[in-house]
Every structure is written in structure tokens, then in C-alpha cells.
Amino acid sequence: MSREFQAEPFRIKTVEPIKMTTKEEREEAIQKAGFNTFLLDSKDVYIDLLTDSGTNAMSDYQWAGLMMGDEAYAGSKNWYNLEKAVQECFGFEYVVPTHQGRGAENILSQIMIKEGDYIPGNMYFTTTKAHQEFAGGTFRDVIIDKAHDSQAEHPFKGNVDLEKYQALIDEVGPERIPYICVAVTVNMAGGQPVSMENLRKVKEISDKYGIKVMFDATRCVENAYFIKEREEGYQDKSIAEILKEMMSYGDGATMSGKKDPLVNIGGFLAMNDEELYQRATQLVVVYEGMPTYGGMAGRDMEAMARGIYESLDYHYISHRVNQVRYLGEKLEAGGVPIVKPIGGHAIFVDAERFLSHLPREEFPAQALAANIYRDSGVRTMERGTVSAGRDKDGNNIFPKLETVRLTIPRRVYTYAHMDVVADSIINLYENREKIKGLRFAYEPPVLRFFTAKFEEIK
């Protein structure tokens, strides 16, 4: 292993055995799951790269915090610790706790979007877009064009295209745009960051027209690391300083605590507008719980408060991003087409180029994810046509990126696990013409990628 990739900045003192499956067992499991990796049983998975959401390994300090849970129904001391952590690290005045990020998305959409509104964003995300549409809004993609090109090299492919943003304002009027949703980093683009300069300019345009800037801050610490690494003037600033400046260019944020805050459950909606906060607290009681727990136990809030501070440690976040980079560089060396540059939380394999013999109608990304599991017991996720769903006329939406996401949980796996993953995918790439396309055996009407089932086209 190259010295460029530093050893883990932690010691392992508790281990969880994982099952070593046979090829026959994996074949039975993937058939039973309808070639959908979401429907595999965890016990049948060797290395689980389905998601980095809630799959983190918590520290001894966080585990100690679980034992200090104040499970009072209202006014838990753990809530005040979490509120303080968000205020200190993110800079927002008001905090509404939720059970996870999509709870925050739901509340934000309901209090800000009305029928006929448009919500610009730097590429769609599945649950975010769904909540915006349920509230009567229409998502508009205003990310830079290079974000849709898997091979384009750009240090900040998550940037908002300012001309696209301005064009939407001119087209529909600022009164029909309640906020712009800026993801930091951009998941569907390959975990790509947004520059501080771009955030500053987005805020300037938004303030000019009275449009709020709301962050999807799920992986904002990873974004801060990329700014430190790539943007002039930030090399000597701490991750905490960069994060605080990033958030200063927003009016609020949704957060899934299951990612950067290093916990297994939880989230929050944060903002600076007191009137919006009051409306949010009314809805959190309906959908989540009291405004001082929002669907979380006291122990979960304590673990998240501690995890927020831990996530800002440079040695932790450097190792986290570079472990992802290690896997990506191994795949590239083996000829596997991936989204470039390598992002912060995952490697995105370009399934359309990987399986160029399969048409998009046969869901190459879904087929590749199923066959990665078949080969090695590694579970990954489709991020392409199946995830994009259908348009209002019932036609499949074909996004420009058809990818398989290899999502690395935080502090869970070692470089040796990454070697197993790389070897499996390189082997598949060398025998890629054997992989068959898929068709639906069952298709749910909403967020179909979670529960759909498929069959192979013989």
C-alpha cells in the first residue's frame, strides 16, 4: 500500500464476524431478492457497500454517551447537547430534531413549497425530489454541465451553474422559487464537492431576489475537506472553520445524522428564520415527535452531538476520503470506468461504459450491482435509470449518469476489504460480456429502486 494512504487513525477493539458465502449461496440469495441488492438479507452479505447512511462505526466516546441517555419525553439534557453542537459547528440559530434526513426534507418541503413552485438544485436526489414533488413543487437541475460527464475532470463538479440559476429566475419569477437546494457534496454526481466561491455567489444571487439557500448538508464535512485540499486560500484553515464559513452562505440545512455526524440514526432541520422555525416545530410534533427529540431517543441525540465534533477532526476525515480514493485508484488501474474525479463517500462505476453491450432499457447499473454480489458477496447500489423513476407520462427517465455506487461506511472496513472489492469488479470487467440485462418483475409506483424486483433477460 502506498504511503500516500495513511493507516487508520483508530484502533479496533470490538469485532463483528461476517459470513463467508459460497457462490451457490449467493446465487440463491440474489435470485430470491429479485436481483435487487436492497432486498438481500444482511447475513448473506460479506462486504456491505450499499450505503454509508447509518452504517458508521461509533467511537468509544459515542458509545459512552449512549449510557448517558436522558429518556425524558420533553426537555432531555441530550437534546440541549445536540442543539449546542449544531449551533456551534454549523452556526444556525434554530434546530429541529428529526428521526433522519428525510424527516427534515419532509418538513422543509411542507413549510416552504406551495403548488406550482420550482426548486432549483445541484442535481436531484431521490427522496429530496420526491418530497418536493409531494408538496406541489417541480425540481430543476442547475448543476454545471460537467457534473453529468463521468470523465470530465473538475475539482468542484458539484457547483451550481449560475447562468442556469439566473435563467430559471428569469423564466418563472423569484416569487415561485422558495429556495434553492444546494447539496454539499452532490451524491448523484459521484460525491462531488461545491467550492466556497460558488457558494458565495449562489448566496449573492439568492439574496438579490429574496430566495433562501437551503443546504443538503448530509456530507458537508467531506465537502469542507475538499475545499481545504483544492481551493486556494483554505489550505491553512481547519475543517471546523471551513464548515462554519460554508454554512454562513445558507439560510438553513437538512441533515441526515447517519452520514457525517457518525451515528446510526437521527437528523435535523436547522435555520435562522424564527417564523419558519415555529412552523417547523408545529409539523415535527405531527410527523416526528416533540421538538426536543423529534423521533430520536435521548441516547441517540447524545451520540450524534459527540459525533458532530468528532467528524471535524482532520485526521479522521482525511483517512475517510483517502480510503475511498484508494479503492478508486485500484479500479482505475484495472481499467474499470469510474466517475472522475473520485468523490468523498463512494466510488461510482460508470455502468453504461462498463456494460456497453446492454441498452439502457435493460438497466445495466442494476445488472452490474447484482453481478458484483454474485461474484464476491459485495453489496452495492444502483444509481441510474431505476433510481430516476418515470416521468409524468410513465416513461423511464434516463439520467446522463448510469452508475453503480460503492459506498464506504465510516470507520468500518480496512484497506484489505477494499482490495477484495477491487479484485471482484476488475474480474467482472474482464468478463463483462457475460452479464445479462434485466427487466421488471415487480415495479412499485414510488421510489422503485428500494423494493422493485427484476428477472434476467435470457
Side-chain angles (χ1 to χ4, degrees), residues 13-52:
K13 60 183 181 182
T14 300
V15 297
E16 176 189 358
I18 50 180
K19 182 179 179 181
M20 307 289 284
T21 56
T22 66
K23 187 171 184 178
E24 291 73 22
E25 288 171 331
R26 295 194 295 273
E27 182 63 35
E28 181 181 353
I30 198 65
Q31 293 275 354
K32 180 183 175 183
F35 297 92
N36 187 345
T37 54
F38 274 96
L39 301 181
L40 290 166
D41 291 340
S42 174
K43 65 179 177 61
D44 296 324
V45 174
Y46 175 40
I47 298 173
D48 202 343
L49 306 186
L50 185 73
T51 182
D52 62 331

Coordinates of all heavy atoms in Angstrom, one line a residue, residues 13-52:
K13 N -11.1 -2.5 18.7 CA -11.2 -3.3 20.0 C -12.5 -4.0 20.1 O -12.7 -4.7 21.1 CB -10.9 -2.4 21.2 CG -11.9 -1.3 21.4 CD -11.4 -0.5 22.7 CE -12.3 0.7 23.0 NZ -11.8 1.5 24.1
T14 N -13.4 -3.9 19.2 CA -14.6 -4.8 19.1 C -14.7 -5.2 17.7 O -14.6 -4.4 16.8 CB -15.8 -4.1 19.6 OG1 -15.7 -3.6 20.9 CG2 -17.0 -5.0 19.5
V15 N -15.0 -6.5 17.4 CA -15.1 -7.0 16.1 C -16.5 -7.7 15.9 O -17.0 -8.3 16.8 CB -14.0 -8.0 15.6 CG1 -12.6 -7.2 15.7 CG2 -13.9 -9.2 16.5
E16 N -17.0 -7.6 14.7 CA -18.2 -8.3 14.3 C -17.9 -9.3 13.3 O -17.5 -9.0 12.2 CB -19.3 -7.3 13.8 CG -20.6 -7.9 13.4 CD -21.5 -6.9 12.6 OE1 -21.1 -5.7 12.6 OE2 -22.5 -7.3 12.2
P17 N -18.1 -10.6 13.5 CA -17.9 -11.6 12.5 C -18.8 -11.5 11.3 O -20.0 -11.1 11.5 CB -18.2 -13.0 13.2 CG -18.0 -12.6 14.7 CD -18.5 -11.2 14.8
I18 N -18.3 -11.7 10.1 CA -19.2 -11.6 8.9 C -19.1 -13.0 8.2 O -18.1 -13.7 8.2 CB -18.8 -10.5 8.0 CG1 -17.2 -10.5 7.7 CG2 -19.2 -9.1 8.6 CD1 -16.8 -9.3 6.8
K19 N -20.2 -13.3 7.5 CA -20.3 -14.6 6.9 C -19.6 -14.6 5.5 O -19.6 -13.7 4.7 CB -21.8 -14.8 6.6 CG -22.1 -16.2 6.0 CD -23.6 -16.3 5.8 CE -24.0 -17.7 5.2 NZ -25.5 -17.8 5.0
M20 N -18.8 -15.7 5.4 CA -18.2 -16.0 4.1 C -19.1 -16.9 3.3 O -19.2 -18.1 3.7 CB -16.8 -16.7 4.3 CG -15.9 -15.9 5.3 SD -15.3 -14.4 4.6 CE -14.0 -15.0 3.6
T21 N -19.7 -16.4 2.2 CA -20.7 -17.2 1.5 C -20.0 -18.0 0.3 O -19.0 -17.6 -0.2 CB -21.8 -16.3 0.9 OG1 -21.1 -15.3 0.1 CG2 -22.5 -15.7 2.1
T22 N -20.7 -19.0 -0.1 CA -20.3 -19.7 -1.3 C -21.0 -19.1 -2.6 O -22.0 -18.4 -2.4 CB -20.7 -21.2 -1.2 OG1 -22.1 -21.3 -1.2 CG2 -20.1 -21.8 0.0
K23 N -20.5 -19.5 -3.7 CA -21.1 -19.0 -5.0 C -22.6 -19.4 -5.1 O -23.5 -18.7 -5.5 CB -20.3 -19.4 -6.2 CG -20.8 -18.8 -7.5 CD -19.8 -19.1 -8.6 CE -20.2 -18.4 -9.9 NZ -19.3 -18.7 -11.0
E24 N -22.8 -20.7 -4.7 CA -24.2 -21.2 -4.7 C -25.1 -20.5 -3.8 O -26.3 -20.2 -4.1 CB -24.2 -22.7 -4.4 CG -23.5 -23.6 -5.4 CD -22.0 -23.5 -5.4 OE1 -21.4 -23.0 -4.4 OE2 -21.3 -23.8 -6.4
E25 N -24.6 -20.2 -2.6 CA -25.5 -19.4 -1.6 C -25.8 -18.0 -2.2 O -26.9 -17.5 -2.0 CB -24.7 -19.3 -0.3 CG -24.7 -20.6 0.5 CD -23.8 -20.5 1.7 OE1 -22.8 -19.7 1.7 OE2 -24.0 -21.3 2.7
R26 N -24.8 -17.4 -2.8 CA -25.0 -16.0 -3.3 C -26.0 -16.1 -4.5 O -26.9 -15.2 -4.6 CB -23.7 -15.4 -3.7 CG -22.8 -15.2 -2.6 CD -21.6 -14.2 -3.0 NE -20.7 -14.8 -4.0 CZ -19.7 -15.6 -3.7 NH1 -19.4 -15.9 -2.5 NH2 -18.9 -16.0 -4.7
E27 N -25.9 -17.1 -5.3 CA -26.9 -17.2 -6.4 C -28.3 -17.4 -5.9 O -29.2 -16.7 -6.5 CB -26.5 -18.4 -7.3 CG -27.3 -18.6 -8.5 CD -27.2 -17.5 -9.5 OE1 -26.1 -16.9 -9.7 OE2 -28.3 -17.1 -10.1
E28 N -28.5 -18.2 -4.9 CA -29.8 -18.4 -4.4 C -30.3 -17.1 -3.7 O -31.5 -16.7 -3.9 CB -29.8 -19.5 -3.3 CG -31.1 -19.7 -2.7 CD -31.1 -20.8 -1.6 OE1 -30.0 -21.5 -1.4 OE2 -32.1 -21.0 -0.9
A29 N -29.4 -16.3 -3.1 CA -29.8 -15.1 -2.4 C -30.2 -14.0 -3.4 O -31.3 -13.3 -3.2 CB -28.7 -14.6 -1.5
I30 N -29.5 -13.8 -4.5 CA -29.8 -12.8 -5.4 C -31.0 -13.1 -6.2 O -31.8 -12.2 -6.6 CB -28.6 -12.5 -6.3 CG1 -28.7 -11.1 -7.0 CG2 -28.4 -13.5 -7.4 CD1 -28.7 -9.9 -6.0
Q31 N -31.3 -14.4 -6.5 CA -32.5 -14.8 -7.2 C -33.7 -14.5 -6.3 O -34.7 -13.9 -6.7 CB -32.5 -16.3 -7.5 CG -31.4 -16.7 -8.5 CD -31.9 -16.5 -10.0 OE1 -33.1 -16.2 -10.2 NE2 -31.0 -16.7 -10.9
K32 N -33.6 -14.8 -5.0 CA -34.7 -14.6 -4.1 C -35.0 -13.1 -3.9 O -36.1 -12.7 -3.8 CB -34.3 -15.2 -2.7 CG -35.4 -15.0 -1.6 CD -34.9 -15.5 -0.3 CE -35.9 -15.2 0.8 NZ -35.4 -15.7 2.2
A33 N -33.9 -12.3 -4.0 CA -34.0 -10.8 -3.9 C -34.5 -10.1 -5.2 O -34.6 -8.9 -5.2 CB -32.7 -10.2 -3.4
G34 N -34.7 -10.9 -6.2 CA -35.2 -10.3 -7.5 C -34.1 -9.4 -8.1 O -34.5 -8.4 -8.7
F35 N -32.9 -9.8 -7.9 CA -31.7 -9.0 -8.4 C -31.7 -7.6 -7.9 O -31.1 -6.7 -8.6 CB -31.8 -9.0 -10.0 CG -31.6 -10.4 -10.5 CD1 -32.7 -11.2 -10.8 CD2 -30.3 -11.0 -10.8 CE1 -32.6 -12.5 -11.3 CE2 -30.2 -12.3 -11.2 CZ -31.3 -13.0 -11.5
N36 N -32.3 -7.4 -6.8 CA -32.3 -6.0 -6.1 C -31.5 -6.2 -4.9 O -31.9 -6.8 -3.9 CB -33.7 -5.6 -5.8 CG -33.7 -4.1 -5.3 OD1 -32.7 -3.6 -4.9 ND2 -34.9 -3.5 -5.3
T37 N -30.3 -5.5 -4.8 CA -29.4 -5.6 -3.6 C -30.1 -5.1 -2.4 O -29.7 -5.5 -1.3 CB -28.1 -4.9 -3.9 OG1 -28.4 -3.6 -4.3 CG2 -27.3 -5.6 -5.0
F38 N -31.1 -4.2 -2.5 CA -31.7 -3.7 -1.3 C -32.5 -4.8 -0.6 O -32.8 -4.7 0.6 CB -32.7 -2.6 -1.7 CG -32.1 -1.2 -1.7 CD1 -31.7 -0.7 -2.9 CD2 -32.0 -0.5 -0.6 CE1 -31.2 0.6 -3.0 CE2 -31.4 0.8 -0.6 CZ -31.0 1.3 -1.9
L39 N -32.9 -5.9 -1.3 CA -33.7 -6.9 -0.8 C -32.9 -8.1 -0.3 O -33.5 -9.1 0.1 CB -34.7 -7.4 -1.8 CG -35.7 -6.2 -2.3 CD1 -36.7 -6.8 -3.3 CD2 -36.4 -5.6 -1.1
L40 N -31.6 -8.0 -0.3 CA -30.7 -9.1 0.2 C -30.8 -9.0 1.8 O -30.9 -7.9 2.3 CB -29.3 -8.9 -0.2 CG -29.0 -9.2 -1.7 CD1 -27.6 -8.6 -2.1 CD2 -29.0 -10.7 -2.0
D41 N -30.7 -10.1 2.4 CA -30.5 -10.2 3.9 C -29.1 -9.8 4.3 O -28.1 -10.3 3.6 CB -30.9 -11.5 4.4 CG -32.3 -11.9 4.3 OD1 -33.2 -10.9 4.1 OD2 -32.7 -13.1 4.3
S42 N -28.9 -9.0 5.3 CA -27.6 -8.6 5.7 C -26.7 -9.8 6.0 O -25.5 -9.7 5.8 CB -27.7 -7.7 6.9 OG -26.5 -7.4 7.5
K43 N -27.3 -10.8 6.6 CA -26.5 -12.0 7.0 C -25.8 -12.7 5.8 O -24.9 -13.4 5.9 CB -27.4 -13.0 7.7 CG -28.5 -13.6 6.9 CD -29.3 -14.7 7.7 CE -30.4 -15.2 6.8 NZ -30.0 -15.9 5.6
D44 N -26.3 -12.4 4.6 CA -25.8 -13.0 3.4 C -24.8 -12.1 2.6 O -24.3 -12.5 1.5 CB -26.9 -13.4 2.4 CG -27.9 -14.4 3.0 OD1 -27.4 -15.3 3.7 OD2 -29.1 -14.3 2.7
V45 N -24.5 -11.0 3.3 CA -23.6 -10.0 2.6 C -22.2 -10.1 3.3 O -22.1 -10.1 4.5 CB -24.1 -8.6 2.7 CG1 -23.2 -7.6 2.2 CG2 -25.5 -8.5 2.0
Y46 N -21.1 -10.1 2.5 CA -19.8 -10.2 3.0 C -19.2 -8.8 3.3 O -18.9 -8.5 4.4 CB -18.9 -10.9 2.0 CG -17.4 -11.0 2.4 CD1 -17.0 -11.2 3.7 CD2 -16.4 -10.8 1.4 CE1 -15.6 -11.2 4.0 CE2 -15.1 -10.8 1.7 CZ -14.7 -11.0 3.0 OH -13.4 -11.0 3.3
I47 N -19.2 -7.9 2.3 CA -18.7 -6.6 2.5 C -19.9 -5.7 2.0 O -20.3 -5.8 0.8 CB -17.5 -6.2 1.7 CG1 -16.3 -7.1 2.1 CG2 -17.1 -4.8 1.8 CD1 -15.1 -7.0 1.3
D48 N -20.4 -4.9 2.9 CA -21.7 -4.1 2.6 C -21.4 -2.7 2.2 O -21.1 -1.8 3.1 CB -22.6 -4.2 3.8 CG -24.1 -3.9 3.4 OD1 -24.3 -3.4 2.3 OD2 -25.0 -4.3 4.2
L49 N -21.5 -2.4 0.9 CA -21.2 -1.0 0.4 C -22.5 -0.5 -0.2 O -22.5 0.4 -1.0 CB -20.1 -1.1 -0.7 CG -18.8 -1.7 -0.3 CD1 -17.8 -1.5 -1.4 CD2 -18.3 -1.1 1.0
L50 N -23.7 -0.9 0.4 CA -24.9 -0.4 -0.1 C -25.1 1.0 0.2 O -25.5 1.8 -0.7 CB -26.1 -1.2 0.6 CG -27.5 -0.9 0.1 CD1 -27.8 -1.5 -1.3 CD2 -28.5 -1.4 1.1
T51 N -24.7 1.5 1.3 CA -24.8 2.9 1.7 C -23.9 3.2 2.9 O -23.4 2.3 3.6 CB -26.3 3.2 2.1 OG1 -26.4 4.6 2.5 CG2 -26.7 2.3 3.3
D52 N -23.6 4.5 3.0 CA -22.9 5.0 4.2 C -23.8 5.6 5.2 O -23.4 6.3 6.1 CB -21.8 6.0 3.8 CG -22.4 7.3 3.1 OD1 -23.5 7.2 2.5 OD2 -21.8 8.4 3.2

